[in-house]
């Protein structure tokens, strides 16, 4: 089956620093990847849609300059949390689909737990 | 805009019993897909089962089955013969045929009791 790898699984950083999270589709090409944020005991909130070779599409209320997304190839998308603050601490998870069809399930990475001190 | 609702924040089930997790949705799109994901405490999202809006039969995957009632706009997940390892959060998700965005429900926390 389709495998999505996300790295790192956990990261602790100091306030003011930047953190990069990688999302890779290992055995398929993904023209589109999605980045979600999940607060404790809550559902997944879509942050942005990452499109290969073009700018990401951000959801309303998500700061583009804080959450930088780069989709440099068909198998790699990165999310950079810039100038991180404690309120950015959360669980971030990426997903990718093997096609754009509505009958194609999204496959998820294992997520990254970010803690900003 | 699509809306997806899970009305059960938490459920308990006895080991080896069956349990139904509810999911309703609201859309005017004729083409859509419904998915169920399992999220253990470790955080990963595990795809369980899929139902397409044009599928005539209810989807089944091992111990998982989807009770799809299109007229009622419901897509309930049925887990048969519950196991302790089934304890997790379960999310219902909706994908419209015209978009790639997946909308998730608020989730149901299932706890299997020995």
């Amino acid at each position: 089956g389709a495998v999505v790898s996300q790295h790192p699984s956990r990261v602790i950083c100091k306030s003011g620093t930047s953190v990069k999270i990688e999302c890779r589709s290992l055995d398929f090409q993904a023209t589109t990847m999605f980045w979600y944020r999940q607060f404790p005991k809550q559902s997944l909130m879509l942050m942005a849609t990452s499109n290969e070779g073009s700018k990401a599409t951000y959801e309303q209320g998500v700061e583009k300059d804080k959450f930088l997304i780069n989709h440099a190839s068909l198998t790699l998308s990165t999310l950079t949390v810039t100038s991180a603050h404690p309120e950015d601490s959360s669980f971030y998870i990426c997903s990718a689909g093997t096609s754009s069809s509505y009958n194609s399930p999204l496959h998820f990475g294992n997520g990254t737990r970010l803690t900003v001190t | 805009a699509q809306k997806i609702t899970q009305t059960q924040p938490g459920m308990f089930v006895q080991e080896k019993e069956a349990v139904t997790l509810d999911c309703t949705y609201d859309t005017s799109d004729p083409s859509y897909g419904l998915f169920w994901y399992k999220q253990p405490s470790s955080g990963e999202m595990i795809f369980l089962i899929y139902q397409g809006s044009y599928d005539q039969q209810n989807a089944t995957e091992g111990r998982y089955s989807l009770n799809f009632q299109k007229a009622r706009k419901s897509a309930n997940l049925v887990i048969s013969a519950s196991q302790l390892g089934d304890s997790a959060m379960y999310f219902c998700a909706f994908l419209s045929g015209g978009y790639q965005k997946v909308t998730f429900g608020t989730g149901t926390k299932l706890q299997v009791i020995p």
Side-chain angles (χ1 to χ4, degrees):
Chain A
V3 177
V4 176
S5 174
Q6 187 172 341
H7 179 80
S9 58
R10 290 178 181 273
V11 59
I12 302 173
C13 70
K14 292 186 177 181
S15 186
T17 62
S18 295
V19 174
K20 180 183 283 188
I21 303 170
E22 291 187 350
C23 180
R24 294 180 184 273
S25 55
L26 297 185
D27 52 359
F28 66 99
Q29 293 184 330
T31 55
T32 304
M33 292 184 176
F34 303 90
W35 287 95
Y36 293 85
R37 181 174 182 176
Q38 187 180 30
F39 292 102
K41 299 183 180 180
Q42 293 190 24
S43 187
L44 280 70
M45 180 190 75
L46 180 65
M47 299 175 64
T49 302
S50 172
N51 303 298
E52 188 267 336
S54 64
K55 291 182 178 181
T57 304
Y58 289 83
E59 295 300 300
Q60 189 174 9
V62 177
E63 299 177 60
K64 301 178 182 181
D65 295 331
K66 166 162 278 295
F67 300 101
L68 299 179
I69 291 173
N70 183 275
H71 197 149
S73 74
L74 286 171
T75 59
L76 174 63
S77 175
T78 61
L79 168 67
T80 301
V81 183
T82 62
S83 187
H85 289 96
E87 57 265 30
D88 298 325
S89 297
S90 191
F91 187 68
Y92 295 88
I93 191 164
C94 69
S95 70
T98 55
S99 79
S100 60
S101 172
Y102 65 88
N103 61 0
S104 175
L106 290 180
H107 300 277
F108 286 82
N110 286 346
T112 298
R113 195 165 301 281
L114 171 64
T115 303
V116 184
T117 61
Chain B
Q2 286 74 26
K3 184 177 179 181
I4 191 156
T5 303
Q6 293 180 256
T7 58
Q8 307 153 314
M11 290 281 286
F12 290 92
V13 63
Q14 202 77 36
E15 192 178 8
K16 300 182 183 179
E17 297 292 314
V19 63
T20 298
L21 306 184
D22 295 342
C23 174
T24 59
Y25 59 94
D26 185 20
T27 184
S28 57
D29 293 329
S31 305
Y32 53 87
L34 294 152
F35 308 86
W36 277 91
Y37 288 87
K38 173 184 178 181
Q39 187 179 41
S41 57
S42 51
E44 69 268 29
M45 294 287 283
I46 303 168
F47 166 69
L48 297 178
I49 196 168
Y50 158 82
Q51 182 82 45
S53 58
Y54 295 115
D55 292 344
Q56 296 297 312
Q57 294 186 330
N58 288 342
T60 60
E61 287 288 346
R63 294 187 297 113
Y64 304 109
S65 61
L66 207 153
N67 183 2
F68 181 47
Q69 298 188 40
K70 193 171 182 177
R72 295 185 178 183
K73 294 185 178 178
S74 72
N76 299 338
L77 176 69
V78 180
I79 305 174
S80 62
S82 297
Q83 302 172 357
L84 295 178
D86 294 335
S87 295
M89 282 291 290
Y90 288 81
F91 291 98
C92 183
F94 176 95
L95 177 61
S96 170
Y99 307 94
Q100 276 197 300
K101 293 182 183 180
V102 174
T103 304
F104 286 88
T106 51
T108 296
K109 184 175 182 178
L110 176 66
Q111 296 184 64
V112 181
I113 305 168

